[in-house]
Amino acid sequence: MTITTAALMACSGNDSAEQTPQQEQPVAISLACGLEQTRAYTATQGSQIVGGRTVSVWGDEHIDKTSNSIHTGDVADYLKAWQLTTDGTGTLASTSTQYYPMTGNNLDLYALHGNFNNAATEGTTTWVTFNTALTHTVVADQSAAGAYEQSDLLYAVKHNITKSSTAQKLEFKHMLSKVEVYLIKGSGLTVADIQGTKVEILGIQLTANLVLSKTSAAASTVTAAAPIATIKTLQQVGDETIQVPDPDNPGSTFTEHAYGFAEAVLVPQYYDTNHDGTGTGMSLLQVTLPNGTVMTTPAATYNFQAGKSEWSGKRLQLH
């Protein structure tokens, strides 16, 4: 993902024989970003942020250029909630151009994408203000247009960036978990049955209480909270050959055709009756066939963790 912003160059002429030293010119900040790939199939936003999404960027002046981790004397909020928009091909664009500090200090950058309760107003909202009592909420109906993408919490941190006209790469991390479901045709079902099937995820906490760390994405905390609701998954149809576990031969797999794929992002959480790791199991998935037949997965407990997909590669019998 590349952000290309035009550098403002100023020049002046002097007709006198004596030349004055040329002033240092401002250098526009140019950024590129990658998205940590943790997802399978042709998963939505698996390797690139889709078009039309807003990314907010904060920046601090980094004083000690000899170290990425020493922040003594750093000047906070050099950039406040710089708003950029993705185009789906790796480019970020903004209606405002931002420049490296004229002080000669380096930059620490913190970039965010998500569905937050706190507003991020460019040039006004400080990092502390935004990061106070901050929550992110996944949308319950992720089958709706743009809802899955809106639900995806992404965070990138990069320290000690030197002034340069070369694009600086920010590596975004997936901060949530994810359920991926392959739909395989069983006995008596047709491809049309599979491709018309609805998959829902039951009893999920939708909100995350966030404390975002400037040290790294991994040092941030994401804690699940109410409300609890059913999530409608985003679904695709097709024909993908996959390897699934052989229930009769542990450790072995065999080939199946998946004619449907369902996905949803979840707040990291314990999945049990108490939602804290101490309760009993629950049925996670509810699958509704086109003829109205409703099936659920066996009751079980799970621990959905940040940055990880669950269920992919696991074979479960619906009943």
Side-chain angles (χ1 to χ4, degrees), residues 295-315:
M295 300 177 290
T296 58
T297 52
T301 61
Y302 298 93
N303 180 12
F304 295 110
Q305 300 179 52
K308 294 185 178 181
S309 298
E310 294 293 337
W311 288 71
S312 182
K314 299 180 181 178
R315 182 183 181 90

Side-chain angles (χ1 to χ4, degrees), residues 33-34 109-113 127 154-158 170-173 175 213 216-217:
C33 79
L109 295 181
Y110 317 99
L112 281 166
H113 169 276
W127 176 260
L154 308 170
Y155 185 33
V157 175
K158 187 167 185 177
L170 301 176
E171 188 72 26
F172 279 85
K173 303 293 185 184
M175 301 295 288
S213 172
S216 66

Side-chain angles (χ1 to χ4, degrees), residues 279-294:
T280 58
M282 301 189 296
S283 293
L284 181 64
L285 296 183
Q286 178 173 288
V287 177
T288 305
L289 297 178
N291 65 6
T293 300
V294 177

Side-chain angles (χ1 to χ4, degrees), residues 199-215:
V199 179
E200 296 172 302
I201 306 172
L202 307 175
I204 293 295
Q205 296 178 98
L206 300 182
T207 298
N209 294 319
L210 305 177
V211 179
L212 298 173
S213 172
K214 286 186 173 182
T215 300

Side-chain angles (χ1 to χ4, degrees), residues 11 26 74 141 237 239 256:
C11 59
D74 285 3
D141 185 0
V237 297
D239 182 358
E256 287 276 18

Side-chain angles (χ1 to χ4, degrees), residues 1-306:
M1 183 179 296
T2 303
I3 309 170
T4 305
T5 52
L8 176 63
M9 302 300 292
C11 59
S12 60
N14 190 330
D15 294 331
S16 66
E18 183 179 356
Q19 298 295 317
T20 58
Q22 186 175 1
Q23 287 187 324
E24 182 181 3
Q25 302 303 320
V27 176
I29 301 171
S30 179
L31 302 177
C33 79
L35 183 59
E36 179 185 42
Q37 189 164 359
T38 60
R39 296 172 179 179
Y41 208 75
T42 50
T44 303
Q45 213 151 258
S47 59
Q48 185 63 263
I49 303 176
V50 302
R53 305 307 310 170
T54 298
V55 172
S56 301
V57 178
W58 281 260
D60 296 343
E61 289 192 54
H62 187 96
I63 304 301
D64 190 337
K65 297 181 181 181
T66 66
S67 171
N68 291 350
S69 59
I70 296 176
H71 299 283
T72 303
D74 285 3
V75 181
D77 295 318
Y78 174 77
L79 297 176
K80 298 177 184 176
W82 185 21
Q83 300 295 285
L84 302 119
T85 303
T86 64
D87 74 346
T89 67
T91 298
L92 288 174
S94 176
T95 57
S96 64
T97 303
Q98 303 295 330
Y99 299 91
Y100 284 95
M102 292 298 288
T103 58
N105 294 328
N106 288 349
L107 276 179
D108 296 332
L109 295 181
Y110 317 99
L112 281 166
H113 169 276
N115 187 30
F116 304 111
N117 63 319
N118 291 342
T121 303
E122 183 171 313
T124 301
T125 305
T126 66
W127 176 260
V128 170
T129 297
F130 183 78
N131 202 31
T132 298
L134 179 64
T135 65
H136 165 90
T137 301
V138 302
V139 179
D141 185 0
Q142 293 183 30
S143 67
Y148 176 99
E149 295 86 349
Q150 181 182 2
S151 300
D152 209 2
L153 176 60
L154 308 170
Y155 185 33
V157 175
K158 187 167 185 177
H159 296 123
N160 204 17
I161 301 171
T162 303
K163 178 170 64 176
S164 173
S165 59
T166 301
Q168 302 294 322
K169 185 176 182 180
L170 301 176
E171 188 72 26
F172 279 85
K173 303 293 185 184
H174 292 285
M175 301 295 288
L176 301 185
S177 187
K178 184 183 178 185
V179 168
E180 297 178 341
V181 181
Y182 292 97
L183 298 174
I184 300 168
K185 182 172 67 68
S187 177
L189 296 178
T190 67
V191 173
D193 288 331
I194 293 298
Q195 295 184 344
T197 292
K198 178 176 67 175
V199 179
E200 296 172 302
I201 306 172
L202 307 175
I204 293 295
Q205 296 178 98
L206 300 182
T207 298
N209 294 319
L210 305 177
V211 179
L212 298 173
S213 172
K214 286 186 173 182
T215 300
S216 66
S220 303
T221 61
V222 182
T223 306
I228 296 171
T230 294
I231 290 180
K232 295 181 180 179
T233 62
L234 179 63
Q235 294 183 221
Q236 305 173 37
V237 297
D239 182 358
E240 179 167 334
T241 301
I242 62 171
Q243 297 297 313
V244 297
D246 184 344
D248 298 322
N249 297 288
S252 299
T253 62
F254 59 91
T255 301
E256 287 276 18
H257 286 268
Y259 295 103
F261 175 71
E263 57 183 336
V265 286
L266 311 178
V267 174
Q269 59 193 273
Y270 287 105
Y271 186 79
D272 58 46
T273 53
N274 294 334
H275 297 282
D276 62 3
T278 68
T280 58
M282 301 189 296
S283 293
L284 181 64
L285 296 183
Q286 178 173 288
V287 177
T288 305
L289 297 178
N291 65 6
T293 300
V294 177
M295 300 177 290
T296 58
T297 52
T301 61
Y302 298 93
N303 180 12
F304 295 110
Q305 300 179 52

